[in-house]
């Protein structure tokens, strides 16, 4: 039986195909459309899923959408009435879209699906609708390795829920309680994302990366004026300071007065105020997550926790919850945002709607999140030959040795291998790699390769069996969703040099023997690389370790700022040629930048990507 899950029309549209309870394919629409966080109907992602399964739309047994639009419309109407007349402008802006499209979403979906399948609407499979947080919860629990676990979902808002708690047992998910809009941890964090000049639903991870450069001097002010936080982790926001419920912005003039002036303009210089705001809201978020975790553990009496929703991408909070919280283990859905809800909706149909049993997989059922398109070496060769692109084709072992040597020589490598990752992280299939021992690599890769802010940290991809040698962490972290400290034995004494520096100036200090992946607070967002899920990437790191003694590499996503992660060999080659990467590895083909035909700098290519 084949079930197609869809998420769309808000951000990060995606499609997922589940066959007999097994996740067969999943991808975000942005990877095909080349529009980051694409919210449109995921026609291209659906086509990929069908192609991967070798079926047509007519062969699908059930199609499920990830939330319930009528309930969401009810929430919008009630909110506008509650804030009237101040929400009139927002009401007039949103209502035409709802009345023309979203209110009759079932009809719209059927039209879009019929266009994909070139079949009449009456021949389409049954169309089901899951609740938003039900989809999140299912994406977290059903692929997890646990037979019984608590599930905590935290995001901006679904229909009404912004935080929800579930008990997962076998093939069932039972809702326990929820916090409702407008009181939202995700929207609180997004309000600070907006106020510090970053893009909402895109720049939250920048705020998290900026936090260690500041001091949490506004934490008490947030807790006194913005957030009524109870001991059990439940909370209410003081909506006098926010504008998202009734307006077209996240914050208002009261918010500006509270924090000493207007929001930072996007792309303007980042000041100490923004760093301190980032540190403060990050500290508040971690406190909320820790309190919620303790409460959920006490109420449900379970040893394991599953996380989903956009807030679950906050790897710093996840790391603290794992280390300081009461749970034996935590598993987070790698596509924790709305893209992963397409997967959760499909699994919810299989396990709960159709009542099929569930047997937890060893590790997890996500297959390392390598669920997207892949290209054979012959397909790659055909692309290279058709464009007369100079390259060298090597056997596996020669390739690994050559790439390890280049990395040890401080070359930056574009690495394109196997099925594309599902979710926001590159995990060794569509990655840019570098040497973590290099003091210069962090700034080189940020400014000359990624074209992004200098403060942004990079993640170490470390052999799973060696992770505790270098980081204060044991166990798997395959999806870059846990932050842990570098072991003291690998840190360097920064002394008075560090103490006298503030803000971005802290970047100048080398803090460990793996400086390119060590953040200013000695932390790292770790990815453990496992032979079972990515033997090719694992082997590369093994050979690099044999040559250098260092069992890890810098791993960052294969894209530039504002661009979705590359999907095809063509995407990879284009990005390679427009950046200062030194080499590109497509399957078994090695491309050296100095051997390529000179290409005039095409600023039009870069300008097509809206800055995130």
């Amino acid at each position: 039986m084949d079930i197609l899950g869809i998420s769309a029309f808000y951000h990060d549209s995606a499609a997922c195909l589940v066959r007999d309870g097994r996740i067969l394919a999943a991808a975000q629409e942005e990877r095909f459309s080349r529009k980051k966080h694409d919210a449109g109907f995921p026609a291209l992602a659906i086509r990929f899923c069908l192609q991967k399964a070798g079926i047509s739309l007519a062969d699908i047994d059930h199609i499920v959408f990830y939330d319930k639009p009528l309930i969401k419309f009810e929430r919008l109407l009630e909110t506008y009435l509650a804030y009237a007349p101040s929400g009139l402008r927002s009401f007039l802006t949103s209502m035409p879209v709802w009345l023309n499209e979203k209110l009759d979403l079932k009809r719209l979906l059927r039209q879009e699906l019929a266009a994909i399948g070139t079949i009449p609407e009456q021949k389409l499979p049954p169309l089901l609708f899951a609740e938003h947080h039900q989809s999140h919860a299912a994406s977290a629990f059903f692929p997890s390795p646990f037979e019984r676990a608590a599930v905590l979902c935290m995001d901006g808002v679904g229909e009404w829920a912004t935080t929800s708690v579930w008990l997962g047992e076998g093939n069932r998910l039972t809702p326990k309680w929820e916090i409702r809009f407008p009181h939202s941890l995700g929207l609180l964090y997004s309000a600070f994302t907006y106020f510090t000049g970053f893009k909402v639903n895109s720049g939250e991870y920048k705020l998290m990366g900026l936090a260690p450069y500041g001091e949490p001097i506004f934490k008490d002010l947030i807790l006194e004026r913005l957030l009524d936080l109870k001991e059990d982790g439940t909370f209410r926001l003081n909506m006098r300071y926010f504008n998202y419920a009734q307006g077209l912005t996240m914050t208002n003039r009261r918010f500006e007065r509270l924090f000493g002036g207007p929001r930072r303009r996007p792309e303007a210089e980042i000041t100490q105020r923004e760093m301190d705001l980032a540190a403060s809201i990050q500290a508040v978020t971690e406190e909320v997550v820790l309190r919620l975790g303790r409460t959920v553990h006490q109420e449900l009496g379970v040893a394991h926790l599953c996380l989903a929703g956009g807030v679950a991408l906050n790897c710093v909070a996840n790391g603290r919850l794992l280390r300081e919280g009461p749970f034996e283990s935590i598993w987070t859905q790698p596509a924790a945002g709305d893209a992963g809800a397409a997967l959760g909706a499909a699994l919810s149909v299989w396990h709960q709607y159709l009542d099929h049993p569930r047997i937890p997989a060893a590790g997890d059922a996500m297959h390392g999140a390598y669920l997207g398109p892949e290209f054979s070496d012959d397909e790659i060769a055909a692309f290279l030959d058709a464009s007369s692109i100079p390259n060298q084709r090597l056997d596996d072992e020669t390739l690994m040795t050559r790439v390890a040597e280049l990395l040890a020589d401080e070359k930056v490598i574009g690495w394109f291998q196997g099925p594309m990752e599902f979710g926001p992280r590159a995990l060794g299939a569509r990655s840019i790699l570098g040497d973590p021992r290099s003091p210069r690599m962090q700034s080189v890769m940020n400014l000359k390769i990624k074209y992004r802010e200098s403060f942004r940290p990079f993640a170490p991809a470390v052999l799973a069996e060696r992770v505790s040698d270098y980081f204060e962490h044991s166990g798997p972290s395959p999806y870059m969703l846990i932050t842990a400290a570098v072991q003291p034995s690998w840190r360097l004494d920064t002394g008075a040099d560090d103490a006298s520096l503030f803000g971005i100036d802290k970047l100048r200090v080398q803090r460990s023997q793996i400086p390119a992946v060590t953040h200013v607070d000695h932390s790292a967002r770790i990815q453990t690389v496992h032979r079972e899920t990515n033997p090719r990437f694992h082997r590369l790191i093994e050979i690099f370790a044999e040559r250098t003694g260092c069992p890890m590499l810098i791993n960052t996503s294969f894209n530039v700022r504002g661009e979705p992660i590359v999907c095809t060999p063509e995407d990879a080659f284009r990005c390679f040629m427009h950046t200062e990467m030194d080499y590109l590895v497509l399957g078994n083909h090695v491309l050296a930048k100095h051997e390529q035909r000179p290409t005039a700098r095409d600023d039009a290519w870069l300008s097509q990507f809206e800055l995130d």
Side-chain angles (χ1 to χ4, degrees):
M1 178 177 286
D2 292 316
I3 302 168
L4 179 67
I6 299 171
S7 64
F9 306 128
Y10 184 48
H11 60 89
D12 295 309
S13 296
C16 172
L17 188 70
V18 169
R19 172 171 289 174
D20 296 333
R22 182 178 185 270
I23 305 166
L24 194 65
Q28 297 110 293
E29 184 71 4
E30 66 164 23
R31 306 296 171 83
F32 306 95
S33 68
R34 310 309 299 154
K35 179 183 177 183
K36 195 158 190 179
H37 303 298
D38 195 339
F41 181 77
L44 298 172
I46 292 171
R47 290 182 191 275
F48 154 69
C49 290
L50 296 174
Q51 182 182 23
K52 178 77 175 290
I55 59 175
S56 71
L57 196 60
D59 299 314
I60 294 290
D61 296 285
H62 293 280
I63 300 173
V64 56
F65 192 69
Y66 80 126
D67 71 6
K68 295 191 173 183
L70 289 179
I71 302 177
K72 184 173 288 188
F73 185 66
E74 171 194 90
R75 187 250 300 169
L76 289 173
L77 286 180
E78 288 194 24
T79 301
Y80 289 136
L81 287 172
Y83 285 90
S86 63
L88 180 62
R89 185 180 172 197
S90 178
F91 178 82
L92 294 175
T93 301
S94 64
M95 279 306 105
V97 177
W98 274 94
L99 294 175
N100 292 330
E101 295 180 8
K102 292 185 179 181
L103 198 56
D104 195 4
L105 191 59
K106 188 172 185 178
R107 175 185 57 82
L108 176 62
L109 289 170
R110 294 185 70 85
Q111 288 176 347
E112 296 279 10
L113 288 163
I116 287 176
T118 61
I119 56 176
E121 289 187 44
Q122 59 268 28
K123 294 289 184 71
L124 284 170
L127 182 58
L128 304 171
F129 292 84
E131 290 187 358
H132 189 94
H133 270 232
Q134 177 190 12
S135 298
H136 276 317
S139 79
F141 177 64
F142 290 137
S144 80
F146 310 131
E147 172 65 26
R148 187 172 188 266
V151 184
L152 177 59
C153 302
M154 301 169 288
D155 64 0
V157 61
E159 292 89 3
W160 278 102
T162 66
T163 297
S164 63
V165 174
W166 307 69
L167 177 64
E169 296 179 289
N171 71 337
R172 313 305 294 174
L173 271 167
T174 304
K176 293 299 180 180
W177 53 267
E178 65 184 30
I179 298 172
R180 290 190 142 203
F181 182 86
H183 309 291
S184 166
L185 183 60
L187 290 174
L188 174 65
Y189 204 90
S190 290
F192 280 85
T193 301
Y194 167 84
F195 191 72
T196 51
F198 301 120
K199 192 173 181 180
V200 173
N201 293 327
S202 175
E204 282 78 6
Y205 59 96
K206 296 184 186 183
L207 197 66
M208 182 179 65
L210 187 64
Y213 294 95
E215 297 295 331
I217 61 173
F218 299 111
K219 179 182 176 181
D220 291 342
L221 185 62
I222 294 171
L223 292 172
E224 289 169 7
R225 304 292 289 275
L226 301 186
L227 185 72
D228 179 14
L229 177 62
K230 305 302 183 185
E231 189 60 34
D232 64 1
T234 59
F235 55 86
R236 291 181 63 86
L237 299 185
N238 184 347
M239 297 306 297
R240 295 178 67 250
Y241 292 92
F242 301 95
N243 200 37
Y244 61 77
Q246 75 277 22
L248 300 176
T249 60
M250 294 298 296
T251 58
N252 58 26
R253 295 289 177 83
R254 288 193 187 94
F255 196 101
E256 292 178 358
R257 289 194 293 270
L258 188 63
F259 294 107
R263 68 181 288 245
R264 168 183 167 258
R265 288 179 293 104
E267 307 307 312
E269 180 184 359
I270 296 173
T271 69
Q272 190 65 44
R273 183 186 72 154
E274 282 77 50
M275 300 175 206
D276 293 339
L277 285 167
S280 301
I281 189 57
Q282 179 63 35
V284 168
T285 299
E286 292 168 22
E287 183 63 31
V288 175
V289 170
L290 283 168
R291 291 190 189 188
L292 285 172
R294 288 193 291 264
T295 297
V296 170
H297 181 266
Q298 182 180 18
E299 289 181 349
L300 301 186
V302 293
H304 309 291
L305 176 69
C306 300
L307 297 173
V311 178
L313 293 172
N314 193 307
C315 54
V316 181
N318 294 349
R320 285 197 63 191
L321 184 57
L322 179 63
R323 291 187 299 274
E324 302 173 36
F327 294 97
E328 291 180 15
S329 56
I330 295 173
W331 191 86
T332 304
Q333 165 56 236
D338 280 7
L343 182 155
L347 290 174
S348 183
V349 170
W350 175 257
H351 289 300
Q352 294 209 250
Y353 183 74
L354 299 174
D355 199 27
H356 287 290
R358 168 181 171 268
I359 301 174
D364 62 53
M366 289 295 295
H367 313 292
Y370 305 110
L371 296 166
E374 61 180 314
F375 299 84
S376 70
D377 234 37
D378 287 342
E379 288 175 310
I380 292 170
F383 158 68
L384 295 172
D385 292 345
S387 302
S388 300
I389 296 171
N391 69 94
Q392 186 179 17
R393 190 170 185 170
L394 304 174
D395 63 77
D396 282 1
E397 204 64 10
T398 305
L399 175 82
M400 299 299 176
T401 301
R402 175 65 176 144
V403 174
E405 290 172 349
L406 291 170
L407 288 163
D409 197 31
E410 293 192 279
K411 304 301 182 187
V412 179
I413 310 289
W415 180 254
F416 182 102
Q417 304 286 329
M420 181 179 68
E421 303 92 340
F422 181 52
R425 310 295 188 211
L427 301 170
R430 305 290 187 273
S431 292
I432 299 174
L433 308 178
D435 185 346
R437 303 169 303 153
S438 170
R440 57 185 284 273
M441 198 56 65
Q442 196 259 3
S443 61
V444 166
M445 291 180 73
N446 263 331
L447 301 177
K448 294 188 176 183
I449 311 296
K450 302 281 283 186
Y451 301 134
R452 69 183 196 180
E453 301 91 345
S454 62
F455 68 83
R456 302 270 292 278
F458 287 112
V462 58
L463 295 177
E465 56 271 27
R466 297 287 307 276
V467 61
S468 59
D469 294 346
Y470 284 80
F471 304 99
E472 294 181 345
H473 178 84
S474 60
S477 176
Y479 303 121
M480 282 191 199
L481 290 170
I482 294 290
T483 294
V486 174
Q487 289 281 12
S489 59
W490 294 102
R491 300 182 195 176
L492 300 176
D493 183 11
T494 57
D497 291 341
D498 193 28
S500 63
L501 296 175
F502 295 92
I504 300 299
D505 289 339
K506 293 180 179 181
L507 268 174
R508 300 202 304 263
V509 178
Q510 184 172 334
R511 301 174 185 282
S512 79
Q513 295 177 55
I514 44 173
V517 295
T518 303
H519 209 10
V520 294
D521 59 355
H522 294 105
S523 70
R525 176 166 49 94
I526 55 177
Q527 177 200 358
T528 54
V529 180
H530 302 256
R531 185 180 285 109
E532 298 79 10
T533 52
N534 195 336
R536 199 168 179 80
F537 194 34
H538 188 277
R539 182 60 182 149
L540 173 64
I541 301 174
E542 271 189 331
I543 294 178
F544 182 78
E546 291 169 6
R547 180 178 178 82
T548 66
C550 180
M552 75 185 77
L553 294 170
I554 299 171
N555 179 15
T556 189
S557 56
F558 198 150
N559 61 339
V560 296
R561 183 185 172 193
E563 179 192 18
I565 295 174
V566 300
C567 177
T568 67
E570 292 90 338
D571 297 335
F573 181 73
R574 191 180 302 113
C575 185
F576 168 64
M577 291 302 294
H578 286 89
T579 66
E580 296 181 47
M581 275 182 268
D582 300 299
Y583 289 84
L584 170 61
V585 182
L586 297 171
N588 282 69
H589 300 262
V590 180
L591 287 65
K593 178 65 68 62
H594 65 268
E595 294 177 356
Q596 307 304 313
R597 293 188 298 273
T599 302
R601 179 63 179 270
D602 183 5
D603 289 330
W605 172 80
L606 194 59
S607 65
Q608 71 177 295
F609 305 121
E610 184 180 344
L611 293 180
D612 61 3

